[in-house]
Amino acid sequence: MEDAVIVGAGIAGLATAVALKRVGIRALVLERSDTLRTTGAALTLFPNAWLALDALGVSHKLTSLYSPISGGSVTKVDTGAVQEISFAANIEPRSVHRRALLEALAQELPPDSVKFSAKITTIDVQEQNGASSAVVCLEDGTTIKSKVLIGCDGVHSVVAKWLGLSEPIHSGRSAVRGLAVYPQGHGFKQEVNQFVDVGKRAGFVPLNDKELYWFLSCNEGKDVPKDPEVIQKEIIEKYAVKFPSLYLDVVRHADLSSLTWAPLMLRNPLDMIFGNVNKRNVTVAGDAMHPMTSDLGQGGCLALEDAVVLGRHISNSFIKNGRLVPEEMARALDAYGKERRWRAAWLITGSYLSGWFQQGGSNWLMKFLRDVVFYGFLFRKLSSAVLYDCGTLPAASGDQLHSSNKTD
């Protein structure tokens, strides 16, 4: 019997475990892989993510390693025209290694918090004396009961499926992501360089003086190569063949072990608004709740927000009652769902439209929609989303922290 069980040791899962620990709630994290998942190589975190990391007490571990991005440029591949961009001082993002973020979160947890190679076979909810217990059965025969079950198990979440959320839909686009390594130093400024062509968008940004994070998204279907050498060759000889030599050189310096090419999936925004993001004492967070395309760089940011908001609602109930009361969990999770639904639906929609407008055609209608509708109106609205403050976590008393490992 556990107080809380979290499925998935990704960003959302580990961050939620840290949020609960802050108030004295021990969570067991079940991870199907045999180690921390680092797919994605790196990600860019905007102010809303750093506010969440502040609340979790780990931002200082990363800000000392990664410098803010002050600006950069966008190059139109067909004309060579370059548009300079700059970030306001209160918006400057930082790009970080995914592994560094996961390790910073994992270090905040007790050593036995994550159970690796834990593959779930079934999920159920049992009622006893008016109280609900979430029950998960693992492939190795282990059965675990908990007062709250949180699915942070990615785009194809088994917990989301149990809740009745529809399967994520394919955006019609896919993305390659990876690291480029320059042992002698790359010499680039701390800026983002983007390249836009019809149906394609690419770019790179420094992580440190020897590594760059780079990407390319394109209008491709689900069937994309998996072999890293094939991926690199396809990008250089086909998808980015007309791109500036500056970008092609970055791709040639790719660390092949970091390369991934995956379809960009998203949750139907209406499913976010009207679907079951929580049911009794079960809920979801991160990509399990709101998979979205990467065009706004908000997937990881929202996952960190989720952790703080969910941690706050569960912790408030915990502090009020002095323990986790199973029958109170449904109310706490319902409040969490109501707080997150509309923001997630808005950013899923905005991210998809951002990619669609930027990678659309070059006819007069698309130019009008892109220049007038998107950049003239929608982009400013979406940009303000990165300043969102998800709030703080409540403080637990010494007695509550002392009893955090006890279960009823």
Side-chain angles (χ1 to χ4, degrees):
M1 184 69 184
E2 299 285 345
D3 268 348
V5 167
I6 298 170
V7 184
I11 295 172
L14 293 178
T16 302
V18 172
L20 296 178
K21 176 180 175 286
R22 289 279 176 245
V23 77
I25 303 170
R26 181 189 184 279
L28 175 64
V29 184
L30 305 177
E31 171 54 46
R32 65 179 288 115
S33 302
D34 57 5
T35 186
L36 291 179
R37 291 177 285 130
T38 57
T39 301
L43 68 163
T44 299
L45 299 179
F46 288 85
N48 54 321
W50 291 105
L51 288 170
L53 288 169
D54 283 343
L56 295 171
V58 298
S59 62
H60 65 283
K61 293 183 177 182
L62 298 167
T63 53
S64 61
L65 299 176
Y66 301 99
S67 301
I69 303 165
S70 59
S73 63
V74 178
T75 300
K76 290 188 176 181
V77 175
D78 59 343
T79 65
V82 178
Q83 179 181 355
E84 300 295 327
I85 58 174
S86 61
F87 295 110
N90 64 334
I91 293 182
E92 291 180 341
R94 300 172 193 247
S95 289
V96 306
H97 290 88
R98 180 181 172 88
R99 178 179 289 278
L101 173 58
L102 292 177
E103 289 177 347
L105 293 168
Q107 288 166 5
E108 297 296 308
L109 301 173
D112 60 346
S113 295
V114 182
K115 178 179 174 64
F116 292 105
S117 301
K119 300 178 181 179
I120 293 178
T121 55
T122 61
I123 299 173
D124 194 12
V125 171
Q126 295 179 355
E127 299 285 347
Q128 186 175 0
N129 300 324
S132 296
S133 293
V135 182
V136 294
C137 295
L138 305 184
E139 194 174 68
D140 65 3
T142 305
T143 298
I144 304 172
K145 292 184 179 181
S146 65
K147 298 172 184 176
V148 59
L149 175 65
I150 304 164
C152 301
D153 47 338
V155 174
H156 300 290
S157 165
V158 295
V159 181
K161 184 177 181 180
W162 183 87
L163 286 170
L165 291 171
S166 62
E167 280 291 311
I169 56 180
H170 188 251
S171 67
R173 295 183 290 118
S174 59
V176 179
R177 303 179 180 93
L179 298 178
V181 181
Y182 293 74
Q184 306 305 317
H186 52 66
F188 290 105
K189 295 180 180 179
Q190 195 64 25
E191 297 176 342
V192 59
N193 291 270
Q194 293 192 58
F195 309 91
V196 180
D197 199 5
V198 176
K200 302 168 193 171
R201 186 167 65 90
F204 63 86
V205 61
L207 291 163
N208 50 45
D209 60 349
K210 295 182 179 180
E211 293 178 292
L212 302 169
Y213 170 53
W214 66 273
F215 68 90
L216 183 143
S217 62
C218 56
N219 296 339
E220 277 297 318
K222 302 177 184 179
D223 299 324
V224 293
K226 300 298 181 184
D227 182 270
E229 292 186 1
V230 175
I231 292 174
Q232 184 185 46
K233 184 178 180 180
E234 288 271 290
I235 297 302
I236 293 173
E237 298 181 0
K238 180 179 178 181
Y239 292 94
V241 66
K242 296 181 180 179
F243 280 46
S245 58
L246 185 72
Y247 178 77
L248 293 173
D249 185 65
V250 169
V251 179
R252 291 190 182 97
H253 279 80
D255 171 7
L256 295 182
S257 67
S258 72
L259 280 185
T260 60
W261 194 342
L264 296 176
M265 311 295 289
L266 68 150
R267 176 89 65 212
N268 186 326
L270 293 179
D271 203 26
M272 275 303 312
I273 297 170
F274 300 111
N276 290 324
V277 296
N278 58 279
K279 186 188 299 181
R280 286 185 279 186
N281 57 342
V282 180
T283 193
V284 283
D287 284 345
M289 176 189 271
H290 44 63
M292 65 181 68
T293 63
S294 55
D295 302 285
L296 292 178
Q298 282 295 300
C301 299
L302 256 65
L304 292 167
E305 287 182 19
D306 291 342
V308 175
V309 176
L310 180 55
R312 182 172 69 249
H313 286 290
I314 294 176
S315 297
N316 284 337
S317 175
F318 175 75
I319 292 171
K320 175 184 175 182
N321 296 286
R323 61 191 178 95
L324 282 186
V325 179
E327 51 267 31
E328 292 284 335
M329 283 299 95
R331 283 189 280 272
L333 298 188
D334 189 53
Y336 157 73
K338 288 178 179 177
E339 185 169 341
R340 300 304 290 163
R341 284 179 189 274
W342 285 97
R343 176 163 172 77
W346 162 239
L347 284 174
I348 289 172
T349 305
S351 188
Y352 173 79
L353 290 176
S354 176
W356 185 77
F357 280 125
Q358 293 183 75
Q359 292 179 217
S362 57
N363 60 55
W364 69 269
L365 179 58
M366 280 305 304
K367 287 182 178 179
F368 172 80
L369 292 174
R370 182 166 50 246
D371 297 340
V372 178
V373 177
F374 179 70
Y375 285 115
F377 171 73
L378 188 58
F379 186 72
R380 287 198 298 270
K381 293 287 185 181
L382 291 170
S383 297
S384 65
V386 306
L387 298 176
Y388 180 85
D389 187 348
C390 61
T392 59
L393 292 164
S397 68
D399 291 340
Q400 287 167 331
L401 290 171
H402 180 70
S403 63
S404 63
N405 291 324
K406 296 181 180 179
T407 56
D408 295 329

